Amino acid sequence: MRWGAWLLGVLVCGVIVARATIVTDITAFLPGPATREQAMLAEQLRDGVAARVILVGVEAASADQAAAAAQRSQQIAATLRADPRFAFVANGDPAMFLAERERLFDARYLLSAQVSPQRFSVEGLRAAAADLEALLRSSAAPLVKPTAARDLLANC
């Protein structure tokens, strides 16, 4: 009788576990999206590029081992770059971002739904120049400054 009850209990637990939905993404902890932008962010966190980013840190136990840790970090990065399963390995090198930035910069107007033909009218260009000037005076200036001249020329 005891074995039968125990076996029935194990069977019920097995059915519960088999039918349970297990979610392992961060979006399970977010509240439901209230706006379209929030829904897009949740979707990107669940299925987009952000869901496939892997950050790896190599630390040295002491200052004496820092050079060895840096060398090991470079070895890991080289190994990962050679693996076709990894699309991008930066390892903190800003030069690695140049090709990605150029690709995005060249397609920036194709990627934005906010860019319309009116943006390239006289008024649109004036508004774009005014927006760029405001950005250059803001705290975002260090991010905007490297591409500001090229972006302004691309609008003309």
Side-chain angles (χ1 to χ4, degrees), residues 113-124:
Q114 298 174 345
V115 177
S116 65
Q118 291 78 19
R119 168 118 178 171
F120 299 99
S121 68
V122 173
E123 266 318 300

Side-chain angles (χ1 to χ4, degrees), residues 2-99:
R2 282 188 206 174
W3 286 105
W6 181 81
L7 189 58
L8 181 64
V10 169
L11 184 64
V12 168
C13 288
V15 169
I16 290 171
V17 169
R19 297 186 67 164
T21 302
I22 299 172
V23 178
T24 59
D25 64 62
I26 194 169
T27 59
F29 297 102
L30 297 175
T35 65
R36 192 171 145 234
E37 288 82 9
Q38 290 172 347
M40 185 184 79
L41 175 63
E43 179 184 335
Q44 286 299 310
L45 287 173
R46 186 173 37 259
D47 300 319
V49 173
R52 294 183 296 271
V53 170
I54 300 172
L55 298 175
V56 177
V58 177
E59 293 184 14
S62 67
D64 299 336
Q65 298 172 344
Q71 183 179 12
R72 183 66 183 144
S73 173
Q74 293 296 330
Q75 290 170 346
I76 292 170
T79 302
L80 293 177
R81 278 190 200 104
D83 190 331
R85 293 175 292 182
F86 292 92
F88 181 74
V89 178
N91 200 29
D93 184 5
M96 295 302 297
F97 292 100
L98 290 177

